Amino acid sequence: MVEAQSWTTRRSSNPRLETTVDIPNTPTGEVRYGTSSNIFTSLSITSLVSPTILTAIIIASWYLSNIGVLLLNKYLLSFYGFRFPIFLTMLHMISCTVYSLIAIRWFQIVPFQQISSTKQLMKILALSAIFCFSVVCGNTSLRYLPVSFNQAIGATTPFFTAIFAFLITCKKESGEVYLALMPVVFGIVLASNSEPLFHLFGFIMCVGSTAGRALKSVVQGLLLTSESEKLHSMNLLLYMAPIAALILLPFSLYIEGNVFGKTLEKVKGDVFMVFLLIGNATVAYLVNLTNFLVTKHTSALTLQVLGNAKAAVAAVVSVLIFKNPVTVMGICGFAVTIMGVVLYSEARKRCKVTVH
């Protein structure tokens, strides 16, 4: 029987890297999943494409999906007139449910894991609630803030993870690690003060999303700790996504009104919206799939490095597409924040080496 592994699942619609999770060494595919046959091994993709080219394609797909979902969300919520971030998030969750079923039960990209107890189900329910909060806040913030500023705030995830780890688990980091967090906070303060399109509600929503993502990381490490309860990230998504959709449905109907009727009216006036919503929801799932594939073909550490660069790339691309104004001070603040994240990652790495 293949031993289940626990990996961090990233949030589907506004995915920013959670750089504070303790990352195990990435074993080979044979060790993780055994030699069981699935559609990918049957097609012998690696024999048709060299491993280097395949890895490059996967990394490129990761960048395209992560940046693509941000830009599509921003376009829908701010420019296209689709003012329903909760309903949009619910569509993402439904998409993740359907695609996860297909990927796991049909394509067998990972072994299917069943929920073993009511206790485990309740833990997944708690994670799903935090997941909902984080994703909805992130999508809502995109309606009011430019993607570049949204990404700058999202880069402060390590700061919130350190706070929650201390408050919930009383885990203390070294002085070097806490010192590395200072430029993370200073950079975002600098960027906020000079952001031409600053919106207080959007800022609060974005901070809430970042804090929620950090909280989920810490809580997940606490709740799913025993070997019998550990779930692979793709299996965890399979269970969390439908629960999240059910949680979001009443909130969407209450806050956003007759959202189904309003969406149908918009579709009647513009059929292209159907393809836009389906494409957006599909890309939201691809974010999770490419996270898994990058980790499988490289390592979780590589995913961290890519994530540090992704925020800057997404910011530059969004400015080029949406033409939102930026200031020199804002760029400097963003750069300081990214530098702080890199220093933080290096400081944690050195601390782990010292401990071991």
Side-chain angles (χ1 to χ4, degrees):
M1 182 176 178
V2 181
E3 183 181 0
Q5 297 289 330
S6 178
W7 301 92
T8 300
T9 305
R10 295 173 54 103
R11 79 161 190 88
S12 60
S13 60
N14 190 10
R16 304 186 194 100
L17 197 59
E18 296 177 3
T19 56
T20 55
V21 182
D22 291 331
I23 297 177
N25 292 328
T26 305
T28 62
E30 288 75 14
V31 173
R32 263 184 304 204
Y33 311 118
T35 57
S36 60
S37 175
N38 59 46
I39 192 166
F40 296 108
T41 55
S42 299
L43 292 175
S44 301
I45 294 178
T46 53
S47 64
L48 300 175
V49 182
S50 70
T52 303
I53 294 176
L54 181 61
T55 301
I57 292 173
I58 290 171
I59 290 175
S61 301
W62 181 87
Y63 269 107
L64 287 173
S65 60
N66 275 266
I67 296 174
V69 77
L70 283 170
L71 299 180
L72 282 171
N73 287 345
K74 177 64 178 176
Y75 179 69
L76 274 167
L77 295 169
S78 294
F79 296 93
Y80 203 74
F82 191 78
R83 311 291 188 185
F84 313 117
I86 301 177
F87 182 68
L88 183 64
T89 306
M90 188 181 74
L91 292 180
H92 289 181
M93 297 302 104
I94 294 172
S95 169
C96 287
T97 302
V98 174
Y99 284 123
S100 293
L101 277 171
I102 295 172
I104 295 175
R105 301 309 297 267
W106 185 20
F107 288 100
Q108 300 176 7
I109 62 170
V110 296
F112 174 67
Q113 296 171 280
Q114 292 183 330
I115 297 177
S116 59
S117 65
T118 304
K119 182 180 178 182
Q120 185 185 22
L121 177 61
M122 296 306 295
K123 291 179 178 180
I124 294 173
L125 179 63
L127 286 174
S128 300
I130 301 173
F131 187 46
C132 282
F133 174 79
S134 175
V135 178
V136 168
C137 285
N139 284 340
T140 303
S141 72
L142 284 172
R143 180 178 170 182
Y144 301 97
L145 299 178
V147 174
S148 54
F149 188 44
N150 175 281
Q151 289 295 282
I153 299 172
T156 62
T157 299
F159 171 75
F160 288 101
T161 307
I163 291 177
F164 286 128
F166 177 74
L167 293 177
I168 297 175
T169 68
C170 297
K171 179 183 177 182
K172 294 182 179 180
E173 301 285 358
S174 66
E176 182 185 6
V177 171
Y178 286 123
L179 191 64
L181 287 173
M182 292 181 65
V184 173
V185 179
F186 175 72
I188 201 59
V189 170
L190 200 63
S192 300
N193 287 332
S194 57
E195 173 55 48
L197 300 179
F198 181 85
H199 191 286
L200 181 59
F201 180 72
F203 177 78
I204 292 172
M205 287 293 99
C206 197
V207 170
S209 173
T210 306
R213 189 168 54 257
L215 179 61
K216 176 182 171 293
S217 174
V218 174
V219 172
Q220 183 173 328
L222 285 174
L223 296 183
L224 302 177
T225 52
S226 66
E227 289 300 321
S228 62
E229 291 184 338
K230 285 183 179 179
L231 291 173
H232 188 283
S233 62
M234 301 305 290
N235 278 282
L236 184 59
L237 179 67
L238 173 63
Y239 291 119
M240 284 202 311
I243 294 174
L246 291 175
I247 292 174
L248 290 171
L249 178 59
F251 284 99
S252 177
L253 294 175
Y254 179 75
I255 297 174
E256 297 173 334
N258 184 20
V259 65
F260 290 99
K262 294 174 182 177
T263 302
L264 285 175
E265 286 182 13
K266 288 182 176 293
V267 168
K268 289 177 181 178
D270 186 1
V271 181
F272 178 68
M273 176 172 279
V274 175
F275 299 100
L276 198 58
L277 290 174
I278 293 175
N280 177 252
T282 300
V283 175
Y285 171 74
L286 291 178
V287 169
N288 295 278
L289 178 62
T290 53
N291 285 343
F292 156 66
L293 291 175
V294 167
T295 306
K296 178 182 178 181
H297 288 270
T298 57
S299 68
L301 181 60
T302 302
L303 193 62
Q304 281 191 350
V305 176
L306 293 175
N308 291 338
K310 188 267 298 180
V313 175
V316 172
V317 172
S318 69
V319 170
L320 293 175
I321 292 176
F322 299 119
K323 310 295 183 184
N324 57 281
V326 292
T327 63
V328 175
M329 195 65 70
I331 294 173
C332 291
F334 193 4
V336 170
T337 297
I338 296 297
M339 180 189 70
V341 172
V342 174
L343 291 175
Y344 170 80
S345 301
E346 291 299 317
R348 291 208 66 205
K349 197 188 305 180
R350 284 194 292 272
C351 288
K352 289 179 184 178
V353 171
T354 303
V355 170
H356 293 300

